[in-house]
Amino acid sequence: TKKIFNRTFMEGDRFTFQVLKTKVGETGTETQEVVIVPEAGEETAEGIFTDTYDLNDLDSGTATFIYTITENPSNLEGIHDSEAVYVVTVTVTDNRKGELLTEVTVNADGREGALVDGNGNPIPLDEAVVFTNYYEAEGALQLYAEKTLSPMALEESTFDGLFSFTIRRTDGKYE
């Protein structure tokens, strides 16, 4: 699941995730990519990663696979990408009745139980993997004011501190 706070998804937003698959007891990994292109105006989007298993994947009727999931940088202006790392462990067992059963555990950043994503948001263990990004924007404004008196021709120092300016926001609050 992909979530965003402080703005909605926009046309052209695209988020990419890397899934590294390792089979316990073997060396090497497989890398897959999951891409989520959310619908504009939404705050949540779903991505689907699917893997299949067959008897050839099992050693003596069982095998364990570890998936490490991370989000690649989005490079979107103002977006702070999630730095969460999820480790999903899947143990596959042949029940000898023509079915492969799976047992799945999820942990984030090496912690099991009450999880938090890379931005500190709590995630219950039984929920899907969630990557949360934040949008932040900031700006500044510099205003300069000048008071001109006419037709007076006095020394500039005569007016030091004589005039002051008040800047008021349109909602009437002083800043």
Side-chain angles (χ1 to χ4, degrees):
T1 301
K2 177 84 209 134
K3 290 186 178 183
I4 193 165
F5 285 107
N6 293 333
R7 84 161 169 86
T8 58
F9 292 121
M10 296 171 44
E11 189 73 33
D13 283 355
R14 177 185 170 98
F15 301 93
T16 307
F17 304 86
Q18 184 176 38
V19 181
L20 298 175
K21 175 184 176 181
T22 305
K23 183 177 179 182
V24 173
E26 293 185 4
T27 58
T29 59
E30 292 178 30
T31 303
Q32 296 182 38
E33 193 173 89
V34 175
V35 177
I36 296 177
V37 179
E39 187 174 324
E42 297 294 324
E43 295 177 347
T44 302
E46 300 297 325
I48 297 175
F49 169 77
T50 304
D51 204 359
T52 57
Y53 311 99
D54 62 32
L55 289 174
N56 295 324
D57 296 317
L58 308 183
D59 302 314
S60 302
T62 190
T64 300
F65 301 90
I66 298 173
Y67 300 86
T68 304
I69 308 168
T70 56
E71 180 176 8
N72 296 334
S74 66
N75 298 316
L76 296 172
E77 288 291 323
I79 295 294
H80 295 273
D81 296 312
S82 175
E83 295 180 4
V85 176
Y86 290 93
V87 178
V88 179
T89 303
V90 180
T91 301
V92 182
T93 306
D94 179 6
N95 72 355
R96 305 288 187 214
K97 297 178 185 177
E99 297 175 311
L100 296 181
L101 305 178
T102 57
E103 181 182 324
V104 180
T105 59
V106 178
N107 64 56
D109 301 322
R111 297 180 308 275
E112 289 192 44
L115 304 178
V116 294
D117 69 12
N119 299 307
N121 298 308
I123 301 171
L125 186 60
D126 61 345
E127 281 191 16
V129 172
V130 178
F131 289 89
T132 305
N133 292 9
Y134 288 86
Y135 173 76
E136 291 183 350
E138 51 184 59
L141 172 66
Q142 289 185 341
L143 296 176
Y144 297 95
E146 181 177 296
K147 177 73 173 170
T148 304
L149 296 176
S150 184
M152 294 183 169
L154 298 172
E155 297 260 335
E156 202 172 296
S157 63
T158 305
F159 297 105
D160 284 349
L162 185 59
F163 299 100
S164 64
F165 298 91
T166 300
I167 298 173
R168 188 175 297 166
R169 297 180 352 186
T170 57
D171 61 7
K173 295 181 181 177
Y174 291 100
E175 290 294 317

